Amino acid sequence: MHAAPAFAVLTAPCLSGIFPCFRAGRGMSPGPPDQEEARNIVIPALMPNYNRADLAFERGEGARLWTADGRRFLDFGAGIATTSLGHAHPHLVKAIAEQAARVMHVSNLYRVPQAEELAARHVAHSFADSVLFCNSGAEANEGMIKAVRKYHAENGHPERFRTICFEGAFHGRTLAMISATGNPKYLAGFGPPVDGFDHVPFGNMNAVRNAITKETAAILIEPIQGEGGVRPADLRFLQELRAVCDEYGLLLALDEVQTGMGRSGRLWAHQWAGIEPDVMSSAKGIGGGFPLGAVFAKEKVAQYLKPGTHGHTYGGNPLACAAGNAVLDVVLAPGFLENVDRVARHLWRGLLKLAERHPAVVERIQGAGLLLGIKLQDGVTNTAAQDVALGEGLLTVAAGMNVLRLAPPLIITEADADEALELLDRSCRKLTPSTAKVAAK
């Protein structure tokens, strides 16, 4: 009679004797019970790397969210410009539920028809000849930079690996992307920055030209800087970047993670400038709230990302691409983008009037489409403004340069915009320096 394999006889009592740290009800802990108690652990189980508001939402519909205790909020943050179709959009919900009931994930070892369909549709409605799917904006930007470097290496210029980026940018939180972002706050404590990124002032063409060297491979820019203060690039500046890339043999790389998928009133924000990039990143709204990112590229760039050069376990799986196709169904429907543009202009006009009524609070309005920013006066912080708006029932997002960001779902109506303007007006009254102390009390 053969003895049972060793692992088969490690019953629960044996485990507790061999591994004292394994205990019922706790799982694997860093040490025996007496050591754990002596450490007096106070960190929450969910790592505290986010500064979360004390709010938990139970359900949503359209541009509104409800907490478990019934409080209603108008959502003009959209999960940081992500829930492009709002909450519980019936077409998106149906597509996800039906696909989940069939097959969610198979990996990229096999064909994924949903990804093939979504890629073909995006190619048909963009500059791109090919699309690579991933899961987030940071991953899309990583893939984009790898594609840029691979392009130059394959064309006999491996020394061309540097990318010109802009002050105030935000490209993600991976090691390479915090280096591309260049913000000292995000870089602190993570060792030396990843080499290959040079930063120049946003909108300064002379600085761009001066930064070009024999090692420069590309210029990377967001058409509208979101985290950096909701600052739109001048359309002429985008056109000049296209021209200088052509002049020096550089690739123009656009980060449309926050600005794309209709947020500007066109499918892609760069279309307002009448230009085409060589490669582009997308995420956030492309999946309507389901994790999905993408790298869009012209053939001359995409052809070098061959098997083994780049990849993702989850990227472009059936469930994510079902969501992506559902979002595209809605965004490409006749009249949808025109309505985004119309409502955005209505909201813009209302914000200009808000600024006129509250000059002690609002310095100016900036942004484009449904990615708008309220630049606050020095005496009013964007975090305070965000908190006051929250108290009025409006969800917003703080951005750099003391800006309060508005990035609502693309399905909002003029009535939704008017409601937000009323809530912002009440917020500004409370934020006016002469009344702020009373309001705080």
Side-chain angles (χ1 to χ4, degrees), residues 95-320:
I96 291 173
E98 289 181 351
Q99 186 60 53
R102 290 194 294 267
V103 59
M104 291 190 289
H105 178 77
V106 295
S107 87
N108 285 299
L109 295 175
Y110 314 100
R111 286 183 55 198
V112 181
Q114 298 82 358
E116 293 171 4
E117 178 188 0
L118 183 58
R121 296 176 73 190
H122 275 301
V123 164
H125 292 91
S126 73
F127 73 94
D129 298 311
S130 194
V131 180
L132 179 150
F133 293 115
C134 55
N135 311 287
S136 67
E139 286 178 271
N141 284 327
E142 287 270 356
M144 182 164 64
I145 293 301
K146 286 181 69 175
V148 163
R149 294 185 178 189
K150 189 67 171 173
Y151 166 83
H152 286 291
E154 293 287 346
N155 281 279
H157 294 285
E159 77 281 1
R160 302 186 79 167
F161 72 99
R162 305 195 71 82
T163 297
I164 295 174
C165 306
F166 292 90
E167 295 170 3
F170 182 82
H171 300 296
R173 294 184 186 273
T174 61
L175 282 173
M177 288 304 105
I178 59 174
S179 301
T181 296
N183 188 327
K185 180 177 68 174
Y186 299 144
L187 287 163
F190 296 110
V194 175
D195 193 22
F197 301 101
D198 304 306
H199 296 86
V200 299
F202 188 65
N204 189 324
M205 198 63 216
N206 289 334
V208 170
R209 286 186 169 275
N210 290 338
I212 296 173
T213 71
K214 64 181 181 180
E215 294 183 336
T216 303
I219 297 172
L220 170 60
I221 189 171
E222 302 158 272
I224 307 169
Q225 287 190 339
E227 296 289 329
V230 196
R231 297 192 296 169
D234 187 85
L235 297 183
R236 182 177 175 182
F237 183 64
L238 293 176
Q239 293 162 357
E240 291 173 344
L241 290 179
R242 176 69 273 175
V244 81
C245 284
D246 293 339
E247 179 183 348
Y248 287 94
L250 312 178
L251 296 182
L252 179 59
L254 295 185
D255 179 342
E256 288 240 28
V257 168
Q258 192 159 169
T259 58
M261 281 307 292
R263 184 153 294 281
S264 71
R266 294 193 179 178
L267 191 59
W268 305 107
H270 67 265
Q271 292 173 333
W272 289 102
I275 63 167
E276 290 187 348
D278 299 295
V279 61
M280 177 183 78
S281 60
S282 176
K284 290 189 181 288
I286 195 174
F290 197 94
L292 180 63
V295 179
F296 291 65
K298 291 186 174 180
E299 182 181 18
K300 67 177 185 179
V301 179
Q303 64 181 318
Y304 299 117
L305 287 186
K306 299 174 182 177
T309 59
H310 193 62
H312 306 271
T313 297
Y314 294 102
N317 72 16
L319 189 55

Side-chain angles (χ1 to χ4, degrees), residues 61-64 75 83-87 89 263 330-331 336 339-340 343 370 408-414 416:
E61 182 178 340
R64 288 162 179 80
D75 185 5
T83 52
S84 48
L85 303 188
H87 302 284
H89 190 283
R263 184 153 294 281
V330 176
V331 173
F336 183 87
N339 187 65
V340 171
V343 175
L370 286 178
L410 306 185
I411 49 82
I412 64 166
T413 63
E414 289 187 359
D416 294 325

Side-chain angles (χ1 to χ4, degrees), residues 358-363 374-386 388 401-404 427-428 430-434 436:
H358 302 284
V361 176
V362 180
E363 180 181 327
I374 302 173
K375 178 71 170 70
L376 299 165
Q377 297 288 3
D378 291 341
V380 182
T381 67
N382 58 0
T383 52
Q386 186 178 22
V388 171
M401 298 181 64
N402 200 30
V403 167
L404 188 67
S427 300
C428 285
K430 291 184 176 180
L431 288 163
T432 300
S434 60

Side-chain angles (χ1 to χ4, degrees), residues 46-105:
L46 184 60
M47 199 172 290
N49 59 311
Y50 298 106
N51 185 21
R52 304 176 191 268
D54 189 18
L55 279 176
F57 298 108
E58 183 181 57
R59 65 183 181 91
E61 182 178 340
R64 288 162 179 80
L65 285 164
W66 283 265
T67 59
D69 59 3
R71 287 179 292 165
R72 189 190 79 162
F73 292 84
L74 181 60
D75 185 5
F76 264 50
I80 315 179
T82 298
T83 52
S84 48
L85 303 188
H87 302 284
H89 190 283
H91 184 63
L92 179 57
V93 169
K94 182 173 183 287
I96 291 173
E98 289 181 351
Q99 186 60 53
R102 290 194 294 267
V103 59
M104 291 190 289
H105 178 77

